[in-house]
Amino acid sequence: GTAEQQNNDFVTTYFPEGELHFSGKHTTFSSGYSGSFLDFRTYSTLNRWDQRAHADLRRQETASLKWNALANVMVVPTTDQVELGGIPYRRTGARTANVRGGLEYSLSATDAISVTNEYQSVEFERQPLEVNTLRGGTMFESVGAWRHKVDPRLAVGIDYSYRLATVVGDPESFTLHGAQGAFDYDLSPLWTMSGGGGIVYVQATATLPGHAGPAYRVSVERHRAGRTF
């Protein structure tokens, strides 16, 4: 209100969006794009263009083998739009890309193995002559799992994970290894619980010693009519 009639503006917002889904006997596929463009007639420096796209493919190849692939890309004008925990708000553009693929193979009626590989890239706009606390980087993770069915409701097994991460500006990458005993339990026809516990080890580098610590996880899911909570 410091300058009456001079702080006013007209904003036009566009929301393009599209979805494509396919469901077959052995294959399901979904993909989509969504965006939003804010057009300020006077204060054009506030214009921003938010774009997101995703694709998900799942296939039951045989009675014993199934696989899946997932990819999503996000280009946002400010970090308050980024779906990553702990990112402070700044008007800094960000781009993220995530690709994941996995397969599961049933060795027998009671034993199964699975492998999942994931690659993620996070990139922030870097302003000249400014201290960049948001640096971004890349991460590759591979997780292998074995499960043995004890009874129709309970499965136990082992998970092993390998992660290689690189932060922009750091002289070295860092590597993490994790091993956990795990379980999956059907609480009811709709609810399932999963958990595990073990150790995680950060591999030594030229500047930092190696370090080990406890690792644990737990999750509860509800499945019904194609929806998961």
Side-chain angles (χ1 to χ4, degrees):
T2 57
E4 192 64 31
Q5 304 301 324
Q6 295 184 25
N7 291 334
N8 301 335
D9 205 343
F10 289 92
V11 184
T12 306
T13 307
Y14 305 91
F15 294 103
E17 183 174 1
E19 294 281 343
L20 176 66
H21 299 272
F22 169 80
S23 182
K25 184 176 180 180
H26 302 290
T27 305
T28 60
F29 174 77
S30 65
S31 64
Y33 166 83
S34 63
S36 64
F37 178 64
L38 272 64
D39 180 18
F40 287 78
R41 184 177 301 179
T42 302
Y43 301 104
S44 59
T45 56
L46 297 177
N47 291 354
R48 64 187 202 181
W49 181 238
D50 180 317
Q51 302 187 80
R52 302 160 191 256
H54 68 89
D56 187 0
L57 174 63
R58 300 175 184 271
R59 179 167 173 79
Q60 183 80 44
E61 201 67 45
T62 67
S64 301
L65 176 65
K66 59 183 178 181
W67 58 271
N68 64 84
L70 170 70
N72 58 70
V73 178
M74 182 168 56
V75 180
V76 294
T78 60
T79 54
D80 68 322
Q81 303 285 308
V82 177
E83 297 172 358
L84 294 174
I87 297 296
Y89 171 75
R90 293 179 62 186
R91 189 171 175 79
T92 301
R95 292 176 292 276
T96 71
N98 192 73
V99 180
R100 184 172 72 241
L103 61 86
E104 181 178 335
Y105 184 75
S106 298
L107 301 171
S108 66
T110 58
D111 292 89
I113 58 174
S114 64
V115 177
T116 302
N117 293 321
E118 182 175 4
Y119 175 81
Q120 185 179 60
S121 173
V122 180
E123 183 179 351
F124 300 102
E125 290 180 353
R126 302 184 66 81
Q127 304 296 333
L129 304 177
E130 180 180 322
V131 177
N132 289 284
T133 57
L134 304 177
R135 294 187 289 162
T138 61
M139 182 276 291
F140 170 78
E141 183 176 44
S142 182
V143 179
W146 164 73
R147 290 292 185 273
H148 172 74
K149 276 205 168 190
V150 178
D151 58 43
R153 300 179 66 179
L154 175 65
V156 297
I158 298 173
D159 293 344
Y160 169 76
S161 63
Y162 166 83
R163 178 181 293 186
L164 176 66
T166 302
V167 179
V168 173
D170 280 6
E172 295 180 284
S173 302
F174 59 94
T175 306
L176 294 90
H177 301 269
Q180 296 187 34
F183 74 91
D184 302 316
Y185 185 71
D186 292 335
L187 298 171
S188 72
L190 297 180
W191 291 90
T192 61
M193 172 182 284
S194 297
I199 62 171
V200 60
Y201 174 71
V202 182
Q203 191 169 307
T205 68
T207 56
L208 295 172
H211 179 70
Y216 49 87
R217 62 176 178 82
V218 64
S219 65
V220 177
E221 292 187 359
R222 183 180 190 272
H223 303 271
R224 183 178 183 182
R227 288 185 288 273
T228 298
F229 170 75

